[in-house]
Amino acid sequence: MKSTEGTAAAKRAAGERAAAAVVDGDTVGLGTGSTAAAAIRALGERVAAGLDVTAVTTSHQSRAVAREAGVPLTDLADTARLDVAIDGADEVALSGAVSGSGGLALDGDETLAASPPLIKGGGAAHTREKIVAGAADRYLVVVDDTKLVGTLSHPVPVAVVPTAAATVERHLQAAGGTPEPRDAARKDGPVVTDDGNLVVDCAFGDVSEPATLAAELSAVPGVVEHGLFVDTTDAVVVGRDGDATLLSVE
Ligand code: 5RP
């Protein structure tokens, strides 16, 4: 698994709080990455204690974690609707979501005035993660507090049909981005996603209009899915060492 900044304790705190929100009978979408894995393990503990759920996963990685944790699985291909999905993120932008100018103290649960935009895809699973997010009645994002920003600026992962890599890169440059094909860490050549696509990480500097950029990227021929998640999130669970805060969209 790729390593990210936050501590294991912060991820565990976020994962446990999110898993506690799942109720008997739920069908649950399970995201990919280290924080989603913490939530899957916490859900597994609840299943061992008697919770009755069925889950769908978003990658080979989340499937392996869920199997090991003992979470009963079904196939995403057979699932049209989910009660809840729990997923990580690389950045969560709070500037437009928090009313007032003081920001968030994170010393208690809060209500957000708007759904915060995200950048996802650090684990190259954002295509299935977006499918799962779109199928879920409630999309819960689990992060440690290093992921909270005012404005999004992380490079946007873009999953691309392999034969379109060159043309997509040209479109991304025309849109003001700096595209960089993602190379694999322990394999020569590119990252190939679980669905057989390539990934281009595209830096745009500060993304002040995420919805506009998201629409622009979706319109590029050959783009399968990009990692901007706009108007998708219902709540963010922010973990810190030892505790977690729930930010719910009103
Ligand atoms: C995978 C993702 C992950 O949720 C995102 O990269 C965050 O991962 P982590 O919790 O390990 O920091 O979008 O495609």
Side-chain angles (χ1 to χ4, degrees):
M1 203 184 302
K2 71 188 189 312
S3 61
T4 55
E5 240 182 277
T7 65
K11 293 173 188 193
R12 194 165 48 246
E16 285 172 357
R17 178 91 194 252
V22 176
V23 299
D24 251 340
D26 274 356
T27 305
V28 188
L30 301 174
T32 294
S34 55
T35 321
I40 296 170
R41 291 190 193 102
L43 188 63
E45 284 168 21
R46 292 200 59 210
V47 168
L51 183 75
D52 172 25
V53 292
T54 313
V56 299
T57 55
T58 50
S59 62
H60 293 304
Q61 183 250 2
S62 61
R63 187 167 185 83
V65 176
R67 284 181 115 143
E68 196 182 317
V71 177
L73 296 177
T74 185
D75 199 320
L76 177 56
D78 300 322
T79 308
R81 184 197 146 267
L82 300 161
D83 294 290
V84 60
I86 303 174
D87 196 1
D90 299 298
E91 271 186 352
V92 179
L94 290 179
S95 64
V98 178
S99 26
S101 56
L104 286 175
L106 293 179
D107 52 5
D109 293 353
E110 301 257 4
T111 300
L112 299 177
S115 179
L118 318 173
I119 290 180
K120 290 187 42 58
H126 55 282
T127 299
R128 290 192 201 174
E129 289 171 330
K130 202 175 274 187
I131 293 166
V132 159
D137 288 353
R138 192 165 154 76
Y139 185 60
L140 257 183
V141 172
V142 283
V143 292
D144 63 77
D145 57 355
T146 66
K147 305 288 184 61
L148 302 181
V149 297
T151 303
L152 298 175
S153 65
H154 193 279
V156 180
V158 182
V160 178
V161 171
T163 49
T167 57
V168 168
E169 279 190 45
R170 191 174 62 81
H171 281 291
L172 294 175
Q173 276 162 350
T178 307
E180 191 178 327
R182 192 182 299 182
D183 280 332
R186 295 184 63 197
K187 160 190 171 289
D188 290 335
V191 162
V192 179
T193 72
D194 290 1
D195 298 306
N197 297 306
L198 305 182
V199 177
V200 176
D201 291 304
C202 193
F204 289 94
D206 282 352
V207 180
S208 50
E209 305 269 359
T212 306
L213 181 59
E216 198 172 349
L217 296 181
S218 293
V220 174
V223 167
V224 178
E225 199 47 86
H226 56 77
L228 279 168
F229 283 44
V230 180
D231 259 334
T232 311
T233 301
D234 295 300
V236 183
V237 182
V238 184
R240 289 180 300 177
D241 288 355
D243 69 354
T245 302
L246 180 70
L247 311 177
S248 307
V249 178
E250 64 186 6

